[in-house]
C-alpha cells in the first residue's frame, strides 16, 4: 500500500507579512463622536444656523450643517473637539436630541490583527461568505477531529482544544519513542536527508500541517491575536496519524472510528466524540474496503467526514479517501475563484472551497509587492522539533477541506440533529457558482457559509 502523505503544498514563503489595517473595535455609542460629526434633531421652527453659531461659539468650534437625514435630524460636522459641546447642544430648548454620529462596524468582523489577510473568509470574489454566517453561529461546542500530524501549543488554538489521541503505531515514524499513546503532540515530520522516507523523498523541514489545518477550522477569533477560524467556538480534537514518513491506512481507519466514538481495541473510548472529522490527507488508489468500512462506521455514529480532493491535478477517483463514498470531498480554488493549479477534480468532488495559491515573494515581510494569495493560519516556527507559535500561508486541498469542516461545525451548532448526509446535501445545495474557471469538475460550486447556515 502506498504511503499516505499530507496533502498540503507547503508555502516556501516565510511568516506572513504583518498587517497594517486591523479593523477597529466596535465603537462606544457614548462620548464624543470619533467621526467628528453629530446627529442633531431640532424642534420645529428652530433657527438652526443661529443655534449652531451660538453653541459652537461658546466652545470655539465651528459647527456646520451637512445634510438632513430621513429621520428629520441633521448631520452636523464639528470643526474641532471640545468636551461638553455635545451636551450643550442637547440641552438647548430648540434641540430635541443630539448624539454622536458614532462609527459602526459589522459585528461579525473579528478583531484578530491578521484577519484582513484572510481573504478566503470574506472576499467577494472567492471567499466563503463567513462573516454573515457568524452573525448566526460560531460553531459553539461542536467537536471537529483533525486527523493529521498532531498538535502544537498555540495561543490561537489551545483554548479550543480537547483531548485527542496519537494513533501512529510505529515508534520510528512517531518520533515519540513508542507506539499509540494518549498524547497527540506533533513531534515534527522533518526529513534530514533525501531518501529518508523511500526512493524520491526529499529532505524537508517540519510542516506542522495539523496546526495549520486546525487553525482554519477553529482558531480563536476576536481574541486580538493572530487569525480567525471558520468556526471559532468549535472544539478541535487532534488525532495524530501522520508522522515522519506519512501515515498508514490501518492507523487512519482506527483513528476514524475512535474519533467518532467507536471502540478501538486497547484504547480508552473518546470522551468527546467528534461530529465532524477532517482528513486533509490522501494517497493514490481508489477507496479501500478498510477506509470505506471505517468511514461508514463513523457516519453511522453521526460524524460528517470531510476530505481533501488531493493535489495532483488529476481525477479524484484515483485517490483515497477522496474517492470514498459517504464523505464530503473538497476541491480547491485560487483567490480568483478558478480551480487551483494543483487541485484534483472530477465527479468525486462534492464542493470547492478556497485553497489558495502561494507565490514566492522574496521581499522582506512588510514590503511585499505580490498579494498574499494563500490560506493564512496557525503555524509553528520550529524547523525540526516544535518551536514558538507562528502563522503562515499554505496552499492545497488540505486548506480547502478545513473550510468545509469548519462550516459543518457552524451548521451542526445551529442544527444539532443534522445527519452527515444532511450536512453534505445542505453544503452542496447552497453553494454559489464557481467564480472563475474549472475544467474537469469542481463539484456543485463554491461553498457559501451564509447561504448554507441560513437554509437550515
Ligand atoms: Ca507514540
Ligand atoms: Ca505521542
Ligand atoms: Ca485569533
Ligand atoms: Ca460525497
Amino acid at each position: 500500500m502506498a504511503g499516505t502523505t499530507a496533502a498540503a503544498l507547503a508555502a516556501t514563503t516565510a511568516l506572513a507579512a504583518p498587517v497594517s489595517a486591523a479593523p477597529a473595535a466596535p465603537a462606544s455609542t457614548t462620548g464624543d463622536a470619533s467621526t467628528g460629526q453629530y446627529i442633531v434633531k431640532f424642534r420645529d421652527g428652530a433657527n438652526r444656523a443661529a443655534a449652531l453659531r451660538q453653541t459652537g461659539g461658546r466652545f470655539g468650534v465651528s459647527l456646520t450643517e451637512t445634510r438632513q437625514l430621513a429621520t428629520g435630524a441633521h448631520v452636523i460636522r464639528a470643526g474641532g473637539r471640545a468636551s461638553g459641546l455635545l451636551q450643550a447642544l442637547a440641552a438647548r430648548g430648540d434641540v430635541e436630541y443630539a448624539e454622536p454620529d458614532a462609527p459602526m462596524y459589522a459585528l461579525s468582523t473579528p478583531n484578530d490583527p491578521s484577519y484582513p489577510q484572510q481573504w478566503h473568509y470574506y472576499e467577494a470574489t472567492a471567499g466563503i461568505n463567513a462573516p454573515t454566517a457568524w452573525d448566526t453561529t460560531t460553531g459553539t461546542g461542536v467537536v471537529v477531529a483533525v486527523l493529521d500530524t498532531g498538535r502544537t501549543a498555540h495561543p490561537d488554538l489551545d483554548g479550543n482544544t480537547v483531548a485527542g489521541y496519537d494513533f501512529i503505531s510505529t515508534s520510528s515514524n512517531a518520533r515519540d519513542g513508542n507506539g499509540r499513546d494518549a498524547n497527540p503532540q506533533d513531534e515534527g515530520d522533518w526529513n534530514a536527508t533525501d531518501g529518508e522516507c523511500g526512493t524520491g523523498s526529499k529532505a524537508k523541514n517540519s510542516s506542522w500541517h495539523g496546526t495549520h489545518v486546525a487553525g482554519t477550522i477553529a482558531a480563536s477569533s476576536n481574541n486580538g491575536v493572530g487569525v480567525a477560524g471558520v468556526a471559532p467556538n468549535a472544539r478541535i480534537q487532534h488525532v495524530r496519524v501522520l508522522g515522519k514518513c506519512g501515515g498508514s491506512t490501518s492507523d487512519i481507519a482506527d483513528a476514524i472510528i475512535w474519533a467518532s466514538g467507536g471502540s478501538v481495541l486497547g484504547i480508552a473510548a473518546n470522551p468527546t466524540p467528534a461530529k465532524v472529522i477532517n482528513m486533509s490527507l490522501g494517497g493514490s488508489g481508489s477507496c479501500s474496503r478498510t477506509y470505506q468500512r471505517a468511514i461508514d462506521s463513523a457516519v453511522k455514529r453521526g460524524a460528517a467526514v470531510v476530505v481533501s480532493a488531493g493535489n495532483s491535478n488529476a481525477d479524484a477517483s484515483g485517490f483515497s479517501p477522496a474517492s470514498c463514498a459517504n464523505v464530503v470531498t473538497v476541491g480547491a480554488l485560487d483567490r480568483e475563484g478558478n480551480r487551483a493549479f494543483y487541485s484534483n477534480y472530477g465527479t468525486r468532488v462534492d464542493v470547492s472551497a478556497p485553497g489558495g495559491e502561494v507565490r514566492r515573494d522574496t521581499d522582506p515581510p512588510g514590503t511585499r509587492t505580490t498579494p498574499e494569495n494563500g490560506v493564512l493560519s496557525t503555524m509553528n516556527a520550529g524547523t525540526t522539533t516544535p518551536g514558538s507559535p507562528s502563522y503562515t500561508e499554505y496552499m492545497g486541498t488540505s486548506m480547502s477541506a478545513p473550510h468545509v469542516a469548519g462550516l459543518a461545525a457552524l451548521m451542526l451548532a445551529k442544527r444539532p440533529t443534522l445527519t452527515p448526509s444532511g450536512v453534505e446535501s445542505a453544503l452542496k445545495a447552497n453553494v454559489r457558482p464557481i467564480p472563475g474557471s474549472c475544467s474537469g469538475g469542481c463539484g456543485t460550486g463554491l461553498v457559501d457559509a451564509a447561504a448554507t447556515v441560513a437554509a437550515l
Side-chain angles (χ1 to χ4, degrees):
M1 170 94 215
T4 296
T5 54
L9 300 177
T12 47
T13 47
L15 292 180
V19 171
S20 49
S28 159
T29 52
T30 58
D32 212 1
S34 62
T35 53
Q37 295 187 153
Y38 302 114
I39 296 171
V40 181
K41 177 73 163 66
F42 293 93
R43 296 191 192 281
D44 289 347
N47 182 338
R48 300 196 301 275
L52 294 177
R53 206 167 43 242
Q54 286 166 8
T55 311
R58 277 176 53 201
F59 291 88
V61 171
S62 68
L63 294 176
T64 322
E65 186 178 305
T66 64
R67 68 177 187 282
Q68 187 168 25
L69 300 181
T71 61
H74 286 79
V75 176
I76 307 300
R77 181 164 297 143
R81 286 166 192 275
S83 69
L85 190 152
L86 179 63
Q87 290 75 8
L89 267 177
R92 291 182 61 94
D94 54 359
V95 168
E96 191 179 326
Y97 60 84
E99 301 172 330
D101 188 2
M104 295 288 142
Y105 307 90
L107 291 175
S108 51
T109 300
N111 67 12
D112 309 77
S114 295
Y115 174 75
Q117 285 172 271
Q118 295 184 291
W119 58 269
H120 35 101
Y121 294 164
Y122 64 82
E123 211 163 75
T125 306
I128 63 165
N129 219 351
T132 305
W134 292 330
D135 288 336
T136 306
T137 164
T138 53
T140 302
V142 177
V143 177
V144 183
V146 179
L147 273 57
D148 215 293
T149 61
R151 168 176 188 255
T152 59
H154 200 292
D156 246 349
L157 295 173
D158 293 348
N160 280 349
T161 302
V162 298
Y165 210 84
D166 183 348
F167 274 88
I168 302 178
S169 52
T170 312
S171 164
S172 59
N173 196 35
R175 283 193 161 124
D176 60 1
N178 55 31
R180 293 177 176 182
D181 69 277
N183 182 0
Q185 162 78 30
D186 189 339
E187 309 288 348
D189 61 354
W190 80 95
N191 287 164
T193 58
D194 290 352
E196 193 176 328
C197 292
T199 312
S201 82
K202 295 287 178 202
K204 63 176 175 66
N205 291 338
S206 288
S207 68
W208 314 114
H209 190 266
T211 297
H212 197 279
V213 168
T216 301
I217 295 168
S220 296
S221 298
N222 280 315
N223 62 343
V225 174
V227 294
V230 173
N233 289 317
R235 293 289 172 261
I236 297 154
Q237 180 166 65
H238 283 288
V239 186
R240 188 173 182 235
V241 295
L242 300 175
K244 178 176 79 168
C245 297
S248 68
T249 297
S250 55
D251 282 345
I252 294 168
D254 276 355
I256 291 168
I257 289 173
W258 181 84
S260 61
S263 52
V264 176
L265 202 63
I267 290 172
N270 183 351
T272 53
K275 297 291 283 180
V276 183
I277 294 174
N278 185 88
M279 286 195 278
S280 288
L281 52 80
S284 55
S286 57
C287 188
S288 62
R289 273 180 285 190
T290 302
Y291 255 132
Q292 194 61 63
R293 283 183 186 193
I295 288 164
D296 290 348
S297 148
V299 166
K300 201 171 292 174
R301 277 187 292 277
V305 182
V306 178
V307 306
S308 297
N311 295 337
S312 302
N313 185 27
D315 196 298
S317 61
F319 298 84
S320 250
S323 65
C324 294
N326 266 338
V327 297
V328 181
T329 302
V330 185
L333 304 182
D334 68 13
R335 192 169 177 170
E336 287 75 48
N338 307 302
R339 176 163 68 83
F341 69 87
Y342 51 80
S343 181
N344 285 353
Y345 49 81
T347 54
R348 282 295 179 184
V349 177
D350 293 306
V351 290
S352 288
E357 290 182 356
V358 178
R359 315 287 185 188
R360 276 170 193 265
D361 188 341
T362 52
D363 300 335
T367 64
R368 289 189 173 157
T369 48
T370 24
E372 305 291 341
N373 292 330
V375 170
L376 180 65
S377 186
T378 43
M379 196 20 57
N380 187 279
T383 52
T384 56
T385 54
S388 28
S390 63
Y391 299 87
T392 203
E393 295 196 18
Y394 273 178
M395 62 176 164
T397 55
S398 280
M399 283 66 246
S400 63
H403 281 82
V404 176
L407 174 50
L410 296 180
M411 298 163 73
L412 285 158
K414 184 178 180 193
R415 177 78 65 82
T417 56
L418 263 184
T419 62
S421 69
V423 168
E424 178 165 351
S425 56
L427 284 167
K428 285 155 107 169
N430 293 289
V431 293
R432 57 189 177 110
I434 299 291
S437 68
C438 171
S439 57
C442 288
T444 59
L446 168 59
V447 291
D448 185 326
T452 307
V453 163
L456 297 176

